[in-house]
Amino acid sequence: MGHLRIPLLSLLVFLLNLSSFHFLSLADDYFINCGSHENVSLTSGQNFSGESKSAGYSFSKSKAVKDINQLPDISPLYKTARSFNKPFYYQFSITEDGTYLVRLHFSAFSSSSSSNNLSTAVFGVLDSKNFTLLNNFTAKNTTYSPVIKEFFLRIDITDSFRLYFTPQPSSFAFVNAIELFLSPVDFIPENYTSNLPLHTIYRLNVGGSPVNDTIGRKWETDDSHISDQNSAKKATPQSTLNLDRYGKIDGLVASNASVAPLLVYQTAREMTNVTSNITWLFSVSSKARHIVRAHFCDIVGQPGNIIFNLYANGNFRKEIGIISQYSAVPFFYDFVVNYSESELFNISIRPNNGASEQNAFLNGLEILEIVEGLAPIPNVKESKKNVVAPVVGSVLGGLSLICVLTVGFVFGFRHRKAEKHVETSVWSPMPANGGGSSHSSALNLDYLGLKISFNEIQSATNNFDTKLVIGKGGFGNVYRGTLLNGTKVAVKRAYKRDEHGSGSGQGLLEFKTEIIVLSKIRHRHLVSLIGYCNERSEMILVYEFMEKGTLRDHLYDSDVPRLSWNQRLEICTGAARGLHYLHTGAARGIIHRDVKSSNILLDENHVAKVADFGLSRSGALDETHVSTNVKGTFGYLDPEYMMSEQLTEKSDVYSFGVVLLEVLCGRPAIDPTLPREQMNLAEWGMLCKKKGLLEQIVDSSLKNQIDPSSLRTFGETAEKCLQDDASDRPTMADVLWDLEYALQLQKTTKLKEAHEDSTTIAASSAAFSLPIVQRFPSLGSTTNGDDTRDSDLDTTENKIFSQLKIGDAR
Ligand SMILES: *[C@@H]1O[C@H](CO)[C@@H](O)[C@H](O)[C@H]1NC(C)=O
Ligand SMILES: *[C@@H]1O[C@H](CO)[C@@H](O)[C@H](O)[C@H]1NC(C)=O
Ligand SMILES: *[C@@H]1O[C@H](CO)[C@@H](O)[C@H](O)[C@H]1NC(C)=O
Ligand SMILES: *[C@@H]1O[C@H](CO)[C@@H](O)[C@H](O)[C@H]1NC(C)=O
Ligand SMILES: *[C@@H]1O[C@H](CO)[C@@H](O)[C@H](O)[C@H]1NC(C)=O
Ligand SMILES: *[C@@H]1O[C@H](CO)[C@@H](O)[C@H](O)[C@H]1NC(C)=O
Ligand SMILES: *[C@@H]1O[C@H](CO)[C@@H](O)[C@H](O)[C@H]1NC(C)=O
Ligand SMILES: *[C@@H]1O[C@H](CO)[C@@H](O)[C@H](O)[C@H]1NC(C)=O
Ligand SMILES: *[C@@H]1O[C@H](CO)[C@@H](O)[C@H](O)[C@H]1NC(C)=O
Ligand SMILES: *[C@@H]1O[C@H](CO)[C@@H](O)[C@H](O)[C@H]1NC(C)=O
Ligand SMILES: *[C@@H]1O[C@H](CO)[C@@H](O)[C@H](O)[C@H]1NC(C)=O
Ligand SMILES: *[C@@H]1O[C@H](CO)[C@@H](O)[C@H](O)[C@H]1NC(C)=O
C-alpha cells in the first residue's frame, strides 16, 4: 500500500536538490571552439566561444591541439581541436528538459604537439545514456572540408550531461567544435513514442538551392538524389505562402518558419509525365530505422485538388491530398521506416489515378537515423586541472547540499519509521549531492506520457491571449484553451522562473508533485490532468476544463447566480468523495493540504471536482507526517497541524469543515471587514453552533430553502470536522456519509412539499410516513463502488438513527 509513497518522497528530496540548481544557471546554449581561447564566428551565423572556465561546462583530461599548417582561408574554428589518446568527455549543465540539437565539428589537420595527423584518428562518441552517436568514426578526407555530425537528443535536467570521445586502442579521438542547444524542432511521427537519439543523415531543399537556416541546419539540393532527371521538373518558385493554418489535417501538420525555412516551401519538384513517378535515392544503414519528414506545399499552380501517393522503398506510405483551399499552405508529414535489407533507400511520389488534377510534388525531405546502439561508458581519468566546475554549480552546490541534508534528514527519519509498515517497496535514497551522472535519468517525467509541446499550448491559448485568462494567482495565470483534437482545457502557466526569486524553487517542486500525483489518479471528483509542458523553462499544467469555475465564485464576491441548497449539498458530497478517494482509494494516503472553496471546481453540470494538488503529500494511512514547514491557506489551516506540524488526513478534514461553513454561510473563510469575533469563519461558525444560532448566519439567498433537519445534520458535520483535536474529527468517509444523509433529508422535504402542493397526495402519502432504516450516518462505510472502505465499522449506537425512505419517487 505504500508503494506510491516511497518513490514520491525520494523524488521530492531529489527535486529539491535540483531545483536550486535550476533557476539560477545560465541558458543551455553551448557553442565551443574546442582547444582554443579564441571566439570565432562562422559565415553560416553561429558564434563559437573559446573554452572558458565559467560557461556551465567542463571537460576531462585531454590536450588542446593546433594545426601546424596555418592556412589563411580556413576558419580558425578548424585549426584547433581537443584531442586525447584515452577517453575524454565534455560535461554540460542542462537546466531544462527537452530535445537538444547537438553538432560535432570534425576537420582533420596535422598537429605539432601530438605529431599526429588527425586523419588517422578512429573513435566513437557516446552520450550519458550509453548511446553510440558515432561508432569507429574517422575524419579521413576532411582536411579543410569539415564534417559536421548533427544529432537530436532528449536531455533531462542535470548538471552532468556528457559527451564521451572514445578512441580505438592505440588511436586517439578529437573534436574541433561543439554546438549544444535546445531545439525548436522535434520529430514526433505518429505511433512513435521513443526518446532515442536521432542522427541527421539527409536534409534536402527539393527543387531549390542550398540554404543555411537560422539554427545552423544546412539544406542541400536534391540534384544528386533524383533517380531520373527527366521524371521531374522544378516548380516555379512562389514567394507568398499561406501561413495562417495551424494544426493537423489527416496526418499532415501545418508548418511554419521554425520547422523549416520558408525558402524550402517556396520551391519544389513536380511531375513532368503524370503517368510515371518521381523517385529519390539515398544510401542509408540497413541496420537502422529512420524517421523521415517530408515537406509539402502546393505551389504548382493548378486550380483543383491534387491527390498523390507517397511511397518509401516502393511501399505505399500515405495519400497526400492537398485540396485547393490549402494551396500555398506548408505542411510536413513524419513517418518511421523500419529496418530494411538494403542499404539503398528510396522515396517516390506518383499521382493518384482518381484525382481531378494529375500531379505530384515534394518541397523538402529530412532523413534521420534512429540511434539504438549502446556501448559501455569508459572510465575517464579525471583531472583537477582541467575540470571546470560550472560556475553556478559551485556557488549553489553548497546551498543545495544544505537543502538536501535538511530534507534528507527529515525524510530519512520518516523512512526508518516507515520501514516497519512497508514491506514491498524499495527505498532507494538519492545521492545527497551531485553524485555525477546518476542524476540524469531520475527526473524524467516522460514515462507518464503527458507531455504537450509548448507550440501546441501556444496555439491552444491563442498565444496566451489575455482575453482567455480565467484565473490569476501567485503562481501565474490560468487560460481557457482548446487543443488540436478539440478538447477544452484549462492551462495553468507559472510565471517564468527567472522573473521570481528563490520562491520559484518551491514552484518547480509543486509543479512536479502535481504532475506525479495527478498522473496516478483518475476519479470523477478529482480534476484530471491532461498534460504538462516544461519546455523553454515553462511550467505549464493542462487540465480538463471546468465550465462553471470555482465553488467560491458561486458562493460570494461574484455575479454568478447563487447555488440552491440542493446543489450545494451535491457539490459538498462530490468534493468529499474526491477527498475520501485521495485518502483511502487506489492511490491511498494522499493528503491534499490545501482544501478550500477555490480549489473545488464545477463542471457544466455542477459536478464538483477537487483541484490543485501542488502541496499534496502522500503517505500511509496510519502514519502522521512531519513536514518541513506548514503549508496551506490561512483560514483553512488545521490548528493542530500548525502547532505540531504533524500532517494527517485529518488536516484536510478540518479544511473541509471550513468549506462546509463557507457553503452554508456564503462568506469567505477570513473576512477582515467584519468585527473581530466574526472575522474567522471557523471560529464564528463554531461559536454560533454552540449557542444554537447557526440558522442566523445562513446565507440569506438560502432563506426558506433548507429543511431544518438537513441543516442540523450539515451543521453537526461541520462542527465535527472543526474539532481542535484531530482524533475527534471524523474521517472523510464519515463526512461523506453525513452529507449524503443531509442531502436525502433535504430531498425528502422537497418531495413532501411537491406532494403537498399537488392534488393527488392520497395515493402515495402512506409511503412517506413509514420510517424505514435505510442508512446510518457516520458509519464510515458506503455502498458506493469506487469509494468503498471495507472495514472499520464504527458501530457507536447513538450515531444510528432511522430516516425516511424516499426511493426513486422523483
Ligand atoms: C568571447 O565570447 C564570450 C561570450 O560568448 C565573452 O564573454 C568573451 O569576453 C569573449 N572573448 C573575447 C576574447 O572576445
Ligand atoms: C552555408 O554555410 C557554409 C559554411 O558553414 C558556407 O560555406 C556556405 O556558403 C553557406 N551557404 C549559404 C547558402 O549561405
Ligand atoms: C554573432 O555575433 C555577431 C557579432 O559579432 C552578431 O551580429 C550575430 O548576431 C551573432 N550571431 C548569433 C547567432 O548570435
Ligand atoms: C594526413 O594524412 C592523410 C593521409 O592519411 C593525408 O592525405 C593528408 O594530407 C594529411 N594531412 C596533413 C595536414 O598532413
Ligand atoms: C571498430 O572497428 C574495429 C576494427 O576496424 C572492430 O574490431 C571493432 O569491433 C569496431 N567497433 C565497433 C564498436 O563496431
Ligand atoms: C577518402 O578519399 C579517398 C580518395 O579520394 C577515397 O578513396 C576514400 O574512400 C575516402 N575516404 C573516406 C572515409 O571518405
Ligand atoms: C498508428 O496506430 C494506429 C492504431 O494502431 C493505426 O491505425 C495507424 O495506422 C498507425 N499509424 C501509423 C502511421 O502507423
Ligand atoms: C509518359 O510516360 C509514359 C510511360 O512511361 C510514356 O509512354 C509516355 O510517352 C510519356 N509521355 C511523355 C510526354 O513523356
Ligand atoms: C516508379 O517508376 C519506376 C519505373 O518508372 C518503377 O520501377 C517503380 O516501381 C515506380 N515506383 C512506384 C512506387 O510506383
Ligand atoms: C520492423 O522490423 C522488425 C525486424 O525486422 C520487426 O520485428 C518489426 O515487426 C517491424 N516493425 C514494423 C512496424 O514493421
Ligand atoms: C553503460 O555504461 C556503464 C558504465 O560503463 C556500464 O556499466 C553499462 O553496462 C553500460 N550499459 C550498456 C547497455 O552498455
Ligand atoms: C510551427 O509549426 C509547428 C508544427 O505545426 C507548431 O507546433 C508550432 O506551434 C508552430 N510555431 C509557430 C510559431 O506557429
Side-chain angles (χ1 to χ4, degrees):
M1 74 187 210
H3 78 102
L4 173 73
R5 176 169 179 264
I6 299 307
L8 183 58
L9 288 191
S10 55
L11 194 63
L12 291 179
V13 174
F14 172 67
L15 289 170
L16 201 62
N17 179 16
L18 274 181
S19 57
S20 48
F21 260 105
H22 196 109
F23 300 107
L24 295 143
S25 40
L26 308 161
D28 302 329
D29 286 1
Y30 300 99
F31 293 88
I32 307 171
N33 179 9
C34 302
S36 168
H37 292 297
E38 201 185 331
N39 289 350
V40 175
S41 296
L42 284 188
T43 51
S44 50
Q46 299 105 305
N47 296 333
F48 290 80
S49 300
E51 286 177 342
S52 152
K53 287 184 195 295
S54 58
Y57 66 90
S58 60
F59 46 85
S60 66
K61 184 172 160 58
S62 50
K63 286 182 188 160
V65 295
K66 246 197 167 104
D67 188 356
I68 48 171
N69 309 308
Q70 292 284 331
L71 281 184
D73 315 351
I74 298 299
S75 165
L77 193 66
Y78 300 118
K79 291 178 181 171
T80 62
R82 185 155 290 281
S83 171
F84 203 41
N85 59 2
K86 297 203 179 60
F88 69 97
Y89 63 75
Y90 275 84
Q91 172 170 321
F92 304 87
S93 155
I94 297 293
T95 62
E96 210 169 299
D97 291 355
T99 297
Y100 282 74
L101 235 169
V102 175
R103 289 197 194 100
L104 307 174
H105 297 242
F106 302 100
S107 175
F109 55 75
S110 284
S111 101
S112 53
S113 71
S114 62
S115 75
N116 271 325
N117 180 335
L118 297 184
S119 293
T120 62
V122 183
F123 58 97
V125 179
L126 303 180
D127 76 0
S128 291
K129 292 176 184 162
N130 294 52
F131 282 111
T132 321
L133 302 182
L134 294 173
N135 184 16
N136 271 355
F137 176 73
T138 166
K140 259 183 208 138
N141 299 358
T142 63
T143 311
Y144 308 138
S145 74
V147 262
I148 300 171
K149 295 289 180 181
E150 181 187 279
F151 303 90
F152 290 85
L153 302 183
R154 263 303 309 185
I155 311 179
D156 300 313
I157 300 170
T158 174
D159 60 335
S160 59
F161 173 74
R162 290 178 179 178
L163 292 171
Y164 291 90
F165 297 82
T166 59
Q168 284 296 307
S170 75
S171 187
F172 57 95
F174 76 95
V175 60
N176 303 75
I178 300 176
E179 299 173 57
L180 190 158
F181 57 95
L182 201 53
S183 170
V185 282
D186 209 343
F187 296 85
I188 311 170
E190 199 186 348
N191 299 353
Y192 178 81
T193 52
S194 154
N195 278 326
L196 296 170
L198 303 178
H199 178 181
T200 310
I201 311 288
Y202 297 102
R203 181 175 285 130
L204 305 181
N205 178 12
V206 176
S209 347
V211 178
N212 293 334
D213 71 21
T214 52
I215 54 168
R217 292 177 299 181
K218 293 192 192 329
W219 299 76
E220 323 268 357
T221 69
D222 66 326
D223 298 344
S224 60
H225 296 283
I226 289 252
S227 78
D228 175 5
Q229 291 287 349
N230 298 325
S231 66
K233 63 180 184 200
K234 291 185 181 180
T236 313
Q238 180 170 326
S239 56
T240 43
L241 301 180
N242 177 354
L243 295 166
D244 296 339
R245 299 268 172 185
Y246 61 88
K248 203 170 180 178
I249 300 145
D250 186 28
L252 295 179
V253 186
S255 187
N256 52 50
S258 62
V259 175
L262 297 182
L263 280 172
V264 168
Y265 295 107
Q266 289 167 2
T267 59
R269 294 252 187 209
E270 61 176 311
M271 308 297 305
T272 46
N273 181 345
V274 295
T275 60
S276 76
N277 60 43
I278 313 178
T279 299
W280 290 263
L281 296 172
F282 303 91
S283 114
V284 296
S285 161
S286 61
K287 297 190 187 71
R289 291 182 297 160
H290 293 85
I291 285 181
V292 178
R293 171 169 288 183
H295 299 267
F296 302 99
C297 182
D298 178 1
I299 56 163
V300 298
Q302 278 157 296
N305 304 341
I306 299 180
I307 301 173
F308 57 95
N309 294 338
L310 173 70
Y311 300 81
N313 283 335
N315 296 317
F316 175 65
R317 287 303 313 187
K318 173 82 186 151
E319 182 179 88
I320 310 291
I322 301 205
I323 55 172
S324 50
Q325 288 112 289
Y326 296 141
S327 163
V329 175
F331 288 104
F332 65 85
Y333 173 66
D334 287 346
F335 58 97
V336 177
V337 177
N338 207 2
Y339 312 96
S340 69
E341 282 95 65
S342 169
E343 304 260 301
L344 208 59
F345 172 67
N346 70 60
I347 287 277
S348 313
I349 50 174
R350 82 191 285 181
N352 184 311
N353 291 334
S356 62
E357 301 284 343
Q358 293 283 304
N359 202 349
F361 54 84
L362 181 67
N363 302 61
L365 197 65
E366 291 172 88
I367 301 178
L368 301 106
E369 184 179 302
I370 300 174
V371 174
E372 291 175 280
L374 294 168
I377 288 174
N379 275 325
V380 174
K381 210 172 162 195
E382 306 287 344
S383 148
K384 292 249 155 43
K385 192 169 124 255
N386 281 330
V387 174
V388 187
V391 71
V392 174
S394 60
V395 175
L396 280 168
L399 244 181
S400 71
L401 180 62
I402 294 166
C403 282
V404 167
L405 286 182
T406 316
V407 179
F409 168 74
V410 171
F411 284 177
F413 163 75
R414 296 297 321 143
H415 173 250
R416 248 171 278 130
K417 197 176 160 200
E419 263 168 355
K420 290 192 211 89
H421 307 276
V422 181
E423 311 84 26
T424 48
S425 57
V426 181
W427 170 250
S428 52
M430 290 297 163
N433 186 25
S437 57
S438 54
H439 250 194
S440 53
S441 57
L443 194 60
N444 193 352
L445 294 171
D446 274 10
Y447 66 93
L448 300 170
L450 291 172
K451 207 155 166 158
I452 298 183
S453 75
F454 185 72
N455 288 333
E456 173 155 14
I457 289 171
Q458 258 183 325
S459 66
T461 57
N462 200 8
N463 200 10
F464 303 103
D465 191 339
T466 48
K467 287 192 215 91
L468 299 179
V469 171
I470 51 175
K472 279 177 199 266
F475 58 88
N477 289 341
V478 183
Y479 300 83
R480 183 155 47 83
T482 309
L483 295 182
L484 292 179
N485 65 12
T487 312
K488 279 192 182 175
V489 293
V491 174
K492 183 161 137 186
R493 184 194 202 192
Y495 291 124
K496 277 286 187 138
R497 294 162 193 179
D498 44 11
E499 289 164 18
H500 273 232
S502 51
S504 310
Q506 198 56 39
L508 179 67
L509 182 62
E510 287 165 16
F511 176 72
K512 304 266 178 180
T513 307
E514 178 130 5
I515 295 169
I516 293 163
V517 171
L518 272 181
S519 65
K520 303 230 179 218
I521 50 183
R522 285 278 180 261
H523 188 270
R524 179 170 149 81
H525 295 289
L526 301 176
V527 166
S528 307
L529 183 71
I530 288 177
Y532 71 93
C533 171
N534 57 353
E535 284 166 40
R536 311 188 200 176
S537 70
E538 293 280 354
M539 293 193 286
I540 298 174
L541 293 166
V542 180
Y543 305 92
E544 62 177 312
F545 181 67
M546 299 293 284
E547 192 80 37
K548 293 280 200 292
T550 71
L551 169 59
R552 182 194 167 101
D553 284 346
H554 292 260
L555 297 175
Y556 48 83
D557 290 351
S558 79
D559 347 317
V560 179
R562 297 291 165 254
L563 297 164
S564 70
W565 182 239
N566 241 356
Q567 281 175 315
R568 294 185 198 207
L569 286 172
E570 299 270 13
I571 287 164
C572 291
T573 311
R577 235 177 248 284
L579 288 172
H580 170 52
Y581 177 80
L582 275 185
H583 292 172
T584 64
R588 63 198 293 157
I590 295 173
I591 301 171
H592 186 287
R593 293 221 297 174
D594 201 14
V595 175
K596 54 183 173 180
S597 58
S598 53
N599 280 342
I600 296 171
L601 305 182
L602 306 178
D603 75 5
E604 67 274 22
N605 302 317
H606 290 102
V607 172
K609 303 200 183 202
V610 179
D612 209 335
F613 297 81
L615 298 180
S616 303
R617 278 293 157 84
S618 128
L621 252 188
D622 51 352
E623 277 199 65
T624 57
H625 297 250
V626 177
S627 67
T628 42
N629 46 5
V630 173
K631 281 284 165 64
T633 301
F634 196 62
Y636 297 87
L637 272 176
D638 169 7
E640 185 171 304
Y641 163 56
M642 280 200 284
M643 301 283 282
S644 67
E645 301 191 6
Q646 297 273 312
L647 184 63
T648 71
E649 288 81 4
K650 296 292 181 72
S651 301
D652 282 352
V653 173
Y654 183 92
S655 308
F656 190 71
V658 179
V659 172
L660 293 180
L661 286 182
E662 272 182 280
V663 165
L664 182 67
C665 307
R667 56 152 279 194
I670 300 284
D671 187 345
T673 63
L674 291 173
R676 204 185 152 74
E677 76 275 12
Q678 301 184 18
M679 226 184 264
N680 182 323
L681 177 59
E683 284 169 16
W684 178 235
M686 288 294 272
L687 191 68
C688 295
K689 178 76 180 62
K690 279 202 187 76
K691 291 184 178 164
L693 300 174
L694 199 58
E695 303 86 74
Q696 300 189 2
I697 61 167
V698 169
D699 185 348
S700 54
S701 73
L702 293 175
K703 282 271 147 58
N704 306 324
Q705 274 188 42
I706 310 184
D707 169 80
S709 55
S710 176
L711 174 63
R712 196 180 56 240
T713 306
F714 190 89
E716 279 165 3
T717 309
E719 186 181 29
K720 283 187 264 179
C721 291
L722 292 171
Q723 292 303 307
D724 282 338
D725 195 337
S727 59
D728 294 340
R729 291 175 212 150
T731 63
M732 279 317 295
D734 300 335
V735 173
L736 174 58
W737 202 238
D738 288 350
L739 291 173
E740 282 182 333
Y741 181 56
L743 181 59
Q744 287 207 1
L745 288 172
Q746 181 68 21
K747 282 183 175 167
T748 311
T749 312
K750 275 203 147 170
L751 200 62
K752 274 199 228 157
E753 281 164 2
H755 280 269
E756 276 153 16
D757 287 349
S758 92
T759 51
T760 57
I761 303 171
S764 54
S765 61
F768 295 102
S769 57
L770 256 184
I772 295 170
V773 178
Q774 186 212 17
R775 282 194 156 180
F776 312 102
S778 295
L779 272 187
S781 170
T782 77
T783 51
N784 214 313
D786 61 350
D787 323 275
T788 302
R789 228 181 92 190
D790 37 22
S791 57
D792 304 335
L793 273 196
D794 175 358
T795 47
T796 318
E797 287 290 332
N798 64 11
K799 283 186 180 171
I800 302 176
F801 52 102
S802 63
Q803 67 172 88
L804 299 175
K805 180 182 170 74
I806 57 161
D808 297 321
R810 267 146 59 91

